[in-house]
Amino acid sequence: MILNGVIKNSVDDHHVEVQTRKHPSVTIAEKRMVICGVSSVLRFMLKFTGTIIESRNNNVEDLDLLCQFKQYLGFRGGCLQACAESSIWTKFCEVDMLDVIDDIEKICQKLTCKLGSTEENTSFPIPETIIRFENHLSLPVKVHNFRKVIQNSKKAGISVLPEDPCEDQGRIELVTDLKHEFAEGTIMLLSDLILFPSLYVCVSCIGREVFEGMAPRTLKWYDRVNSVFLSSVNFDIDCYYSSILHTNQTKYEWAMPDVPVQSLYSRDPNRYKPTLRQFTRQYEIDEAVQFVKNQNIEPLEINEDEPCFEWTDIPLLAHPEGGNLPLTRQQRKCHQLASLTYYVLQVYGEKRKDCNSRRFRIVDFCSGGGHLGILIAYLLPECDVILVENKDESLRRAQERIEGLGLSNMFCYQSNLDYFEGDFDLGLALHACGTATDLVIAKCVKVSASFVCCPCCYGAVQENHMLKYPRSHIFQESQIPLRYYFILSHASDHTHDAAHEKTEQGKQCMTLIDTDRCLYAEENGYNVKLCKIVPETASPKNHILVGVKK
């Protein structure tokens, strides 16, 4: 096992270099696998240590330690499993809080420039992210396993319910009398482990007295987590920033920024406004469609090729049947894979001559159990195929099939797709949900790779720290209101059976959103065509975006 290393294939001479840059990573060379990203690496380390503990002779200390490790992973092991582009909480832990260190560095640079000056005292706002966390800790706890919390609280003699609870207690998420002891409730989780180092730097540099006045709950949280760490870890952080701030403490003072009082839960009533998130009123859909028509934006014609693919000679483990899919899904999955594979082979035939000095590299983003990537790797043994997926259980199932097939040209990358760094020639995505399709296309554009993508969950499209909408200059210059764009994306999910009255409208909106995506690729030097999975019964989300770099 290697930290921040290279996946090497011990069977062949070729290897795949995966550059992790600023992201922590673990490489398991014998499995040709990289685990990347703060949450994924810590989750792996907890589980890996857990398996070692389980392999030893069980004793009371081992069992207690194992329970603690499992507890860190959260309810059903889902703590911070959602990707940062779709989860406010994951983004806060993995992105926002790390950016606070940059904020402190900028303040230090400003203070360094003023050393020896006679200017009056300067005021700096405390980083907003700290106050966002302070506000989060002041609000009710969100509980997933609500009944279990009630039972445990009763055993401990603690009341967590209001005097007049609502009728359906099974649906309560915000428990008004339950206070934050840790970042996500009463139990220390993976999120606390990730947040602590950044806040350790903040408290060391800004000073406890500032936190006592402006973020007292954060300071209590910090002391509580610190007491856990002190028993096992000795922190020794460079106090460069701290020395600058403390040396100049007579030259400046901290100010409180104006930050809305909201929790970091996306379903916080203060954040979630149901009436503002209704995008499927018929009159608004009609207005949005008419707006695009008035801008003379022509939706792309859908290519009517009949993809041909023969499953006869495909071994069981490369077939959907070998992926333990339910019988009701196997036939649809066969049609989906056949259609995408048809276009993948077309693009490969056109672009393989461009790779004279190395092997052609294909990346299957959001690969799930690897159905598409495994099939492509079997059909194209002269290519390297990388699966990128953030769920370890999905990759475990994929690896079982890879080993069973003896595919030496496959590699696995467990992370959110935005952590994947490295050159490749063709990016794939089968039913990448919402913004994931746009992230895949953007990653392909960045390295001049071709792409074959089948979008899904159009209603999940939303702006984030990595993407802005619309994607293309043509749609941007039309000045389409962002709400209209989201109305079109939500209406795109109205693709039901052929007899449903909303289906035709849903297909129309779906084509408009994918036209924007294709135009974005064209503007970045791609030949693009909009195709579809056949037959249409294989999937209501049946568009395939094929982009070949010129």
Side-chain angles (χ1 to χ4, degrees):
M1 190 162 60
I2 308 166
L3 281 173
N4 291 335
V6 175
I7 305 180
K8 289 191 177 180
N9 187 342
S10 58
V11 178
D12 299 321
D13 292 332
H14 65 274
H15 66 271
V16 172
E17 295 182 2
V18 180
Q19 301 175 22
T20 56
R21 296 179 185 173
K22 63 181 180 180
H23 310 301
S25 68
V26 174
T27 299
I28 308 174
E30 61 273 19
K31 289 185 174 290
R32 298 193 292 277
M33 181 172 181
V34 166
I35 301 161
C36 185
V38 179
S39 299
S40 294
V41 167
L42 282 177
R43 186 178 288 110
F44 165 77
M45 293 173 70
L46 289 170
K47 290 183 177 181
F48 182 76
T49 307
T51 58
I52 294 176
I53 294 172
E54 286 180 320
S55 67
R56 301 197 302 232
N57 293 327
N58 289 338
N59 56 55
V60 175
E61 291 79 8
D62 280 351
L63 291 175
D64 288 344
L65 190 59
L66 185 60
C67 288
Q68 184 180 17
F69 280 7
K70 288 182 177 179
Q71 170 189 296
Y72 287 148
L73 297 175
F75 180 58
R76 295 180 179 173
C79 182
L80 297 182
Q81 200 162 40
C83 52
E85 63 267 20
S86 61
S87 167
I88 295 172
W89 182 235
T90 302
K91 178 177 177 289
F92 181 83
C93 294
E94 290 192 347
V95 180
D96 297 347
M97 189 54 76
L98 292 176
D99 288 343
V100 173
I101 310 303
D102 293 334
D103 294 340
I104 292 176
E105 182 179 8
K106 290 174 184 175
I107 292 172
C108 286
Q109 289 172 351
K110 291 179 181 178
L111 282 172
T112 303
C113 294
K114 294 183 178 182
L115 278 172
S117 70
T118 57
E119 291 184 21
E120 295 182 359
N121 286 1
T122 304
S123 176
F124 292 108
I126 192 169
E128 288 188 5
T129 303
I130 295 175
I131 304 305
R132 287 176 64 203
F133 188 55
E134 175 72 12
N135 291 342
H136 168 79
L137 295 177
S138 72
L139 295 172
V141 170
K142 180 179 179 180
V143 179
H144 297 282
N145 48 342
F146 180 69
R147 294 185 182 280
K148 184 176 180 180
V149 171
I150 294 176
Q151 292 169 359
N152 292 341
S153 299
K154 285 182 177 178
K155 289 178 183 178
I158 302 171
S159 174
V160 300
L161 287 175
E163 294 182 2
D164 186 22
C166 64
E167 296 179 4
D168 188 358
Q169 294 181 358
R171 292 188 178 183
I172 295 178
E173 288 188 335
L174 296 174
V175 188
T176 55
D177 285 0
L178 195 61
K179 305 302 181 185
H180 280 94
E181 293 183 30
F182 295 98
E184 296 191 61
T186 58
I187 300 173
M188 187 168 171
L189 299 176
L190 185 65
S191 48
D192 296 284
L193 302 180
I194 291 173
L195 289 169
F196 180 76
S198 295
L199 280 162
Y200 184 97
V201 173
C202 293
V203 173
S204 299
C205 294
I206 296 174
R208 292 184 61 90
E209 64 282 358
V210 177
F211 273 81
E212 286 172 353
M214 295 187 176
R217 293 180 180 86
T218 301
L219 188 60
K220 285 183 180 179
W221 169 90
Y222 165 82
D223 288 337
R224 191 174 290 117
V225 178
N226 193 30
S227 65
V228 176
F229 273 110
L230 284 175
S231 63
S232 55
V233 180
N234 181 24
F235 276 90
D236 184 16
I237 294 179
D238 185 356
C239 292
Y240 170 71
Y241 299 145
S242 177
S243 62
I244 291 178
L245 291 170
H246 294 165
T247 300
N248 291 274
Q249 58 186 342
T250 59
K251 295 284 186 181
Y252 74 95
E253 60 182 22
W254 294 101
M256 175 70 81
D258 185 16
V259 180
V261 180
Q262 298 171 332
S263 78
L264 292 163
Y265 304 134
S266 60
R267 298 289 297 192
D268 175 8
N270 292 320
R271 180 187 301 280
Y272 182 70
K273 309 294 183 184
T275 56
L276 298 179
R277 295 197 179 191
Q278 291 180 8
F279 297 101
T280 54
R281 300 183 183 92
Q282 186 57 52
Y283 75 91
E284 287 191 311
I285 297 173
D286 293 338
E287 287 177 2
V289 172
Q290 189 60 47
F291 181 92
V292 176
K293 285 182 178 179
N294 292 341
Q295 305 307 309
N296 295 320
I297 298 176
E298 290 294 329
L300 293 184
E301 295 290 332
I302 297 178
N303 189 291
E304 296 295 340
D305 282 359
E306 285 287 339
C308 54
F309 183 80
E310 184 56 60
W311 286 97
T312 307
D313 298 325
I314 302 299
L316 177 65
L317 288 176
H319 190 285
E321 186 179 345
N324 297 320
L325 285 178
L327 288 174
T328 53
R329 287 189 59 198
Q330 281 181 24
Q331 187 174 20
R332 295 202 306 273
K333 181 63 76 173
C334 281
H335 290 312
Q336 295 165 17
L337 294 177
S339 294
L340 266 76
T341 300
Y342 172 79
Y343 293 109
V344 169
L345 296 178
Q346 274 192 355
V347 175
Y348 172 65
E350 184 174 343
K351 299 299 292 183
R352 62 182 172 181
K353 60 182 179 295
D354 295 344
C355 295
N356 297 323
S357 59
R358 61 171 173 78
R359 290 164 63 90
F360 196 89
R361 190 174 299 165
I362 300 172
V363 181
D364 181 10
F365 291 101
C366 308
S367 65
H371 295 285
L372 179 59
I374 289 172
L375 178 59
I376 297 300
Y378 174 79
L379 294 170
L380 300 175
E382 68 276 17
C383 298
D384 289 326
V385 179
I386 303 172
L387 304 183
V388 177
E389 169 61 43
N390 71 341
K391 295 182 177 62
D392 52 357
E393 180 59 27
S394 296
L395 283 181
R396 185 194 62 78
R397 293 196 300 268
Q399 284 182 319
E400 289 177 355
R401 297 168 67 192
I402 291 168
E403 291 171 5
L405 289 164
L407 296 175
S408 61
N409 62 332
M410 289 207 72
F411 309 86
C412 295
Y413 199 91
Q414 185 194 328
S415 78
N416 295 335
L417 67 87
D418 56 304
Y419 287 147
F420 179 84
E421 298 287 350
D423 290 330
F424 59 97
D425 305 289
L426 176 58
L428 314 179
L430 172 56
H431 286 156
C433 292
T435 55
T437 291
D438 297 300
L439 285 170
V440 169
I441 295 174
K443 192 151 295 268
C444 291
V445 168
K446 181 180 178 181
V447 298
S448 297
S450 300
F451 60 83
V452 177
C453 295
C454 175
C456 190
C457 302
Y458 289 71
V461 164
Q462 59 182 335
E463 290 197 326
N464 53 60
H465 61 295
M466 292 177 286
L467 293 172
K468 298 295 180 185
Y469 291 92
R471 302 297 295 148
S472 67
H473 291 311
I474 292 177
F475 268 72
Q476 291 168 10
E477 289 168 359
S478 76
Q479 297 186 334
I480 180 173
L482 191 58
R483 179 171 177 82
Y484 275 4
Y485 194 90
F486 290 156
I487 286 169
L488 292 174
S489 66
H490 278 74
S492 299
D493 284 339
H494 294 169
T495 47
H496 312 280
D497 58 86
H500 197 283
E501 61 181 2
K502 293 276 190 179
T503 297
E504 198 57 41
Q505 172 189 273
K507 290 181 179 179
Q508 181 184 12
C509 294
M510 197 164 73
T511 301
L512 289 174
I513 296 298
D514 287 335
T515 294
D516 178 43
R517 288 166 164 160
C518 289
L519 290 172
Y520 165 78
E522 283 186 354
E523 292 163 359
N524 283 278
Y526 284 75
N527 291 321
V528 183
K529 59 181 178 180
L530 181 58
C531 309
K532 65 180 180 181
I533 296 171
V534 293
E536 293 202 11
T537 54
S539 174
K541 302 296 181 293
N542 64 347
H543 282 183
I544 302 175
L545 284 59
V546 181
V548 180
K549 184 67 177 179
K550 295 178 185 177

